[in-house]
Amino acid sequence: MDTPLAVRARGIRQCFGDVVALDGVELTVPAGQVHGLVGPNGAGKTTLLGLLLGLAVADSGTLEILGTPVGRALAVPEGVAGFVDGPGLYPSLTARQNLAALASLRGAPALGIDDVLEQVGLTDVADDRTRGFSLGMRQRLGLAAALLTKPRLLILDEPSNGLDPAGKHHVYGVLTRLAAEGTAVILSSHRMDDVEALCSEVTILSTGRVAFSGPLAELAGENDELGYRIVTSDPRAARTVAGGTAGVRIVDEHDVLVIAATVPVLDVLVKRLVQADIAVRELAPVVSPLEAAFLALTEPTDLEISR
Amino acid sequence: MTAIVAETPVVTEVSVARGYRFELVKLLSQWRVRLLVVACWLAPAVFVAVVSRQASLPVDTLFGRWMHATGWAGPLVLLGFSGSWALPLLTSLVAGDVFASEDRLGTWRHLLVAVRSPRRIFVAKALASLTVILLLVVGLVVSSAISGIAVVGNRPLIGLDGHVLSASDAAGKVVLAWACALAPTLALAAIGLLGSVALGRSPMGLLLPALVALAMQIVQMLPVPVAVRLALPGYGFISWNGLFTGPAQLKPMLIGVVVSLAWAVAATALAYHLFVRRDFTNPAHDGSGRRAIVVGALPLAILFGITTLVVAPATGATGSGIEQDKVQRALATEFAHLYRLQTTQLNRPGVTEQQLQTSAACTKGGDQVAARGPGNDWRCVVSWHVPGVAAAGSAIYQLDINPVGRYVADGDGPKEVNGYFLVRTPAGDEPNPLWQFDGSVELLPSTP
Ligand SMILES: Nc1ncnc2c1ncn2[C@@H]1O[C@H](COP(=O)(O)OP(=O)(O)OP(=O)(O)O)[C@@H](O)[C@H]1O
Ligand SMILES: [Mg+2]
């Protein structure tokens, strides 16, 4: 109730000619939340993030950013930063010059530059021209440029693209700290592990519609059938037990038993295995709940639960 | 949940001044632009220094034959070259690229989010490219003038009608001539902006000013009516010639400047019109397209048509503008001035133009052809009187008049008057001013 909203979008619709890129999209992101935006290629993620950055206005629907209604393009309030489709950098300038030019463009003192470069781990290459920067370095510099504006809403389109583990570490650290300080972060990603590690809530878009929006925990609904790998001391006996348990679907039974079941059914199965004197050595979901939900929600006809 | 936000966020506007500085930083960080700046500030100095020391001078270029005589010829020779090559190329490389470079780098969205106003982005970019172009042009003038003065000297210059301009007069006219050439340069720069906006990433955008300049140059070399010639912005690269006659041919010069500035304003306005309507949400679309080209080109064609229609009756300009009596008058005047120069050179008693009573009788291509229009088949007989000598002197000249009214007169007479490139003076052999000289026929009926 008390948390101010960073983004409140209702019934957003955006068309490009015949293509309906966004169709009745609702999005609510409170301050201090890291919100993930996932969906297949062409789902409308970049389009939605572009609206939040103020690059365009929706054809219909209402959008409030940081409490201010946004009615026309390039009119989002101060405090929104980020990038879509890759950061904008000038290759003839060094990393530091890129940031300094941006700072002076905004009339801000170029004080925090060293600090933000440090935060994204680019101190060593601060005085190199960005012409030679790798994708990951460009992403990090783009993030640094956004940080320079001390944003209260940070928009990042696939920020983990091209990041090495160290880069990811830096970026994760920055985003987590920002969120703790009350900045809302909305990021799109194709990497489910990133989203699971970073985001407390996700929105799944599929062909312009919201297929799911809410906490990650809600995604792994108790009654959704998920795939599990079960390694036991006696695979053959285990298979028989599984076959005899109502609600269990056997997907694969060669070396490792792979079944599809809901959480309550799984509980029953494990109890039965133990009762039948079969040791359960390993039990793990085949795909993460987010990935499963993603696949289930975005490609319902082609649900694939296998190794 | 309801939105409760304590502070009301305000949109701070990025001023044009800051945007301008941002654009300048970007432009000047490109090695290509830096190279141009260095080249424009150094190359002319080297060129003038080297050529002024050579035995053979670039006589094909206006004022080239005077490069040994005064340092002020250097900047004018350079201006002659620059009008056809350097200035179109410079504007191409600077103005032709300011918008297209953001397309190439994919930085439009970034820039828009930072500046939040396509209008201010346009103004900042236009001003920044204008600044760089001015920096380059000033470099050309300063570098060539300093080098000329240092190597040859701050000496009087012989004008296009043979009269002597004092060194300080020459300096002022050199600056004025370059200022005149700035107008068509601005027109080309604006066409560069337009190309950069309308053609996006396509290399045609970058080349547009150079191509337009080339096309206009070709038109200037064709025997088109005077009104058409004056209605094209490229004429501004030629009309400064009129500054170096006495009286100066101000009318064509002013028309050249006004037409060029009209093109500069029109092309900039069109570029602005196209730019602020551009859709930046799609990175694959760079705003180019048939519509953009039509919107860009059609109004300029209309502008050209209107100027032609206005210039023709307003100036009374007809045909090629090159007519027998104008040629005769120009040649006689120039001959008289140069004759006095030769008199001084030879240490003979001084004469005045009035005393000489010079006249010229010109025909073109024999008697069958009417004596008008450009061509290298003009033949003139110049007659003059020397005080105290009963018989009139006479000398023959072959004139090659080009379509813009500039001519080269080639002497064909007694060796001691105009038949040989050297004259014997008490101080030794010196270049003969009457042997070959450049001149200019005013294309418009009369100078006010
Ligand atoms: N400017 C545009 N003009 C026309 N169509 C567009 C434009 N921008 C996006 N689209 C279309 O809108 C749809 C959504 O595109 P969007 O870029 O938002 O998808 P995305 O979720 O970001 O995809 P990806 O995962 O590939 O980045 C696509 O069908 C795309 O073709
Ligand atoms: Mg995208």
Side-chain angles (χ1 to χ4, degrees), chain A:
Chain A
M1 265 337 99
D2 322 304
T3 355
L5 286 187
V7 174
R8 184 175 178 278
R10 294 290 173 267
I12 297 289
R13 188 182 164 85
Q14 177 80 309
C15 304
F16 297 105
D18 298 340
V19 182
V20 182
L22 295 174
D23 188 8
V25 169
E26 317 261 309
L27 184 68
T28 307
V29 181
Q33 184 181 80
V34 183
H35 194 100
L37 197 57
V38 295
N41 292 132
K45 302 182 293 295
T46 302
T47 308
L48 181 57
L49 294 179
L51 292 180
L52 299 181
L53 269 179
L55 282 170
V57 267
D59 297 339
S60 61
T62 57
L63 178 62
E64 270 175 36
I65 292 180
L66 300 171
T68 311
V70 177
R72 59 188 174 83
L74 301 174
V76 296
E78 190 83 339
V80 183
F83 55 84
V84 292
D85 276 333
L89 301 174
Y90 294 97
S92 53
L93 300 174
T94 65
R96 195 191 301 280
Q97 287 168 340
N98 261 294
L99 297 183
L102 265 181
S104 77
L105 185 62
R106 302 179 58 256
L111 287 177
I113 291 180
D114 286 321
D115 181 40
V116 294
L117 282 169
E118 168 94 56
Q119 286 185 46
V120 298
L122 286 181
T123 310
D124 293 346
V125 292
D127 293 312
D128 293 356
R129 287 186 200 287
T130 54
R131 189 185 305 285
F133 273 26
S134 68
L135 176 60
M137 287 155 92
R138 296 170 56 84
Q139 296 275 27
R140 287 199 252 169
L141 189 54
L143 178 60
L147 291 181
L148 209 53
T149 68
K150 308 223 180 310
R152 287 192 291 138
L153 171 60
L154 182 60
I155 309 288
L156 299 170
D157 194 14
E158 307 189 22
S160 52
N161 253 7
L163 287 184
D164 61 9
K168 215 172 257 188
H169 177 78
H170 274 117
V171 171
Y172 282 18
V174 169
L175 297 186
T176 314
R177 194 182 44 69
L178 273 181
E181 288 167 3
T183 298
V185 180
I186 305 182
L187 56 91
S188 75
S189 183
H190 288 297
R191 301 287 310 264
M192 299 305 151
D193 46 349
D194 286 342
V195 176
E196 280 175 329
L198 267 173
C199 305
S200 48
E201 292 199 8
V202 290
T203 293
I204 301 182
L205 278 183
S206 174
T207 57
R209 290 167 183 275
V210 176
F212 171 86
S213 190
L216 270 171
E218 264 176 36
L219 255 183
E222 293 237 318
N223 298 316
D224 291 345
E225 196 179 62
L226 279 186
Y228 296 94
R229 299 168 77 242
I230 306 176
V231 181
T232 56
S233 52
D234 186 347
R236 203 175 305 171
R239 193 220 164 276
T240 318
V241 173
T245 308
V248 173
R249 199 154 58 76
I250 294 174
V251 179
D252 190 358
E253 51 183 294
H254 289 295
D255 307 328
V256 196
L257 184 63
V258 180
I259 59 148
T262 60
V263 174
V265 169
L266 187 68
D267 291 349
V268 171
L269 175 63
V270 173
K271 273 182 217 152
R272 283 195 178 190
L273 285 172
V274 175
Q275 276 163 9
D277 214 17
I278 302 167
V280 178
R281 292 179 177 161
E282 205 183 307
L283 170 63
V286 172
V287 290
S288 74
L290 176 59
E291 201 159 341
F294 177 81
L295 292 170
L297 289 168
T298 56
E299 301 166 39
T301 50
D302 190 23
L303 177 60
E304 191 189 357
I305 304 172
S306 63
R307 264 188 295 180

Side-chain angles (χ1 to χ4, degrees), chain B residues 282-411:
Chain B
N282 191 346
H285 180 65
D286 58 13
S288 64
R290 196 167 300 158
R291 201 193 79 86
I293 292 167
V294 170
V295 171
L298 200 63
L300 290 182
I302 294 172
L303 175 66
F304 169 60
I306 293 174
T307 357
T308 313
L309 293 180
V310 170
V311 167
T315 57
T318 45
S320 69
I322 298 169
E323 282 137 30
Q324 191 177 31
D325 59 324
K326 284 194 208 170
V327 175
Q328 291 176 169
R329 227 181 308 134
L331 183 65
T333 313
E334 185 165 12
F335 181 88
H337 288 315
L338 292 173
Y339 189 90
R340 280 191 64 194
L341 204 68
Q342 197 193 43
T343 308
T344 324
Q345 231 178 1
L346 296 173
N347 216 7
R348 289 193 191 138
V351 283
T352 63
E353 281 85 354
Q354 282 82 6
Q355 290 168 332
L356 285 173
Q357 292 173 34
T358 319
S359 66
C362 298
T363 57
K364 183 173 184 290
D367 291 334
Q368 301 92 322
V369 188
R372 67 158 63 100
N376 61 0
D377 50 354
W378 282 85
R379 197 184 133 86
C380 302
V381 180
V382 181
S383 326
W384 71 96
H385 297 272
V386 179
V389 180
S394 95
I396 297 171
Y397 280 95
Q398 307 285 345
L399 259 63
D400 181 357
I401 308 184
N402 77 8
V404 294
R406 262 177 45 198
Y407 62 81
V408 181
D410 201 348

